[in-house]
Amino acid sequence: MMRLASRCWSRVGERGLSTGQLQVALEPLDGSIFMLTLNRPDARNAIGRQFLRELKESLDNLVLERSTRCVIIKSSVSRVFCAGADLKERANMTRQEASAFVRDLRGTFSALEALPMPTIACVDGYALGGGAELALACDFRVCGTGAQFAFPETRLGIIPGAGGTQRLPRVVGTPRAKELIYTGRRISAQEALDIGLADHLADSVSAEDRALRLARDIAQGGPVALRMAKQAIGLGMEVDLASGLLVEEACYAQVIPTQDRLEGLKAFAEKRPPVFKGE
C-alpha cells in the first residue's frame, strides 16, 4: 500500500511553508479507488504555495501505487470546488516568483493529467480560473446542480496559465473556448453538460455519489488494462490515425504478458467476476 499524504505541516515563518493544517488529503476508499480532498475552507480552496506543494505530493504518491484503478478529486468546502489561484498570496510575489509559481502550477496539472489511472473531478460548487483548469486536467467531470465554471483571467489582465487555453478547446471546441476565455462569464452545470465541459450531472443524487458510481464502474476493469487504455487514447489523440493505431498496438502489447489477462479469460470461462491484481 502506498504512503499517504497524511502528515501535518507544522513549520512556520519560512516563506511558503504551512501554518499547520493539511490543505490536500489523500485517502483510500478501498483497494482500488482513492479520494483526493481539497480542504482549505478559509480561502475557498484557493491555490497557494502550501496547497500546490501538497497536491504535488499526493500526485507523486499516486504514481507509485500499482493497483489503484481510479482517483476522485473533491472539495470538503461547501459550494466550492476550487476558487483558483490565491490572488492575495500572488500579490506579494515578485515577477520572477509569480512566473515560477504559474510554471509549477502548469506542471502539476500536467502531472495530474498524466496520472496512469483514470481521474474524476467531483465539482459541486464554483470552479473558477485555476479551479476550472484543475477540473479540466481530469479525465471526467461529474457536477452537482450547483456547479459553476468560469475562466475570468482576462478580466484580471492575464490569461489562463495552467493549461486552460489548451485543454478547454480540446474539450468544448475552439469557438466555445474562445467565448468562455474572452468573456470570462460563468456557466451553470447544465450549460457545462450541454457543451461537453461536464460529463455527468447529478440531479437526483449528490455529485459525490455519482462520482463514486462512475469510479466503481471503472474499477471493475483491470489496473494494467485501464492504464494502457488511458495511454492509448491520450497519446493517440495527439497524432494522425495511422500513428494512433501504432500507439494502440504498442499499448496492447503491454497487456498480453500480464496475469490479469489470464485471470480475465479464466473468470469468463468460469462465469465469475475476475480478481485483478495489477500484474
Side-chain angles (χ1 to χ4, degrees):
M1 183 61 66
M2 60 178 284
R3 177 178 63 86
L4 297 182
S6 59
R7 73 179 186 274
C8 290
W9 299 82
S10 59
R11 295 174 292 172
V12 183
E14 184 180 342
R15 175 179 292 181
L17 294 179
S18 167
T19 56
Q21 182 180 5
L22 198 66
Q23 296 180 1
V24 177
L26 182 65
E27 59 182 345
L29 296 183
D30 54 38
S32 59
I33 300 171
F34 272 77
M35 186 76 78
L36 194 158
T37 303
L38 313 179
N39 181 41
R40 194 186 178 195
D42 58 327
R44 300 192 304 161
N45 288 338
I47 305 170
R49 287 187 173 100
Q50 178 187 340
F51 186 105
L52 183 58
R53 183 174 58 250
E54 292 177 8
L55 177 59
K56 288 172 61 179
E57 180 179 276
S58 294
L59 298 179
D60 288 344
N61 285 334
L62 283 167
V63 169
L64 300 176
E65 172 56 27
R66 295 173 59 89
S67 61
T68 300
R69 305 181 202 183
C70 192
V71 177
I72 299 172
I73 300 179
K74 70 158 192 170
S75 167
S76 67
V77 183
S78 178
R79 297 187 296 277
V80 174
F81 177 70
C82 175
D86 186 336
L87 298 182
K88 292 182 180 179
E89 186 177 281
R90 183 80 61 87
N92 294 319
M93 294 180 183
T94 66
R95 291 182 183 178
Q96 292 77 12
E97 287 173 333
S99 294
F101 181 84
V102 173
R103 184 167 56 249
D104 201 12
L105 182 62
R106 186 182 306 116
T108 300
F109 287 1
S110 292
L112 169 59
E113 183 179 47
L115 279 178
M117 68 287 291
T119 54
I120 301 170
C122 175
V123 182
D124 199 7
Y126 296 114
L128 309 178
E133 291 177 296
L134 173 60
L136 274 173
C138 295
D139 293 304
F140 304 100
R141 285 153 296 281
V142 174
C143 295
T145 54
Q148 292 189 35
F149 293 86
F151 299 84
E153 286 87 352
T154 57
R155 297 187 179 188
L156 298 172
I158 56 176
I159 67 171
T165 64
Q166 302 306 305
R167 293 190 180 96
L168 186 61
R170 286 167 166 80
V171 171
V172 303
T174 301
R176 286 195 178 102
K178 286 180 176 179
E179 179 192 345
L180 291 176
I181 291 173
Y182 294 171
T183 66
R185 72 178 180 88
R186 293 188 185 187
I187 64 171
S188 67
Q190 183 60 58
E191 185 174 356
L193 181 68
D194 292 342
I195 67 175
L197 179 53
D199 299 291
H200 299 276
L201 178 57
D203 51 6
S204 59
V205 296
S206 71
E208 184 173 341
D209 285 343
R210 184 65 185 87
L212 280 169
R213 192 174 89 188
L214 176 59
R216 288 175 178 137
D217 284 345
I218 291 170
Q220 294 181 57
V224 179
L226 289 170
R227 292 170 186 229
M228 288 301 101
K230 178 170 178 174
Q231 184 173 320
I233 295 169
L235 294 177
M237 290 302 294
E238 299 301 321
V239 298
D240 62 86
L241 178 59
S243 299
L245 291 173
L246 294 176
V247 171
E248 180 183 82
E249 181 180 3
C251 291
Y252 198 96
Q254 299 299 308
V255 303
I256 290 293
T258 64
Q259 291 300 311
D260 279 356
R261 183 181 73 88
L262 299 178
E263 166 62 13
L265 293 173
K266 184 178 180 181
F268 179 80
E270 295 174 356
K271 297 181 173 55
R272 61 170 175 81
V275 180
F276 295 124
K277 298 180 179 179
E279 301 173 351

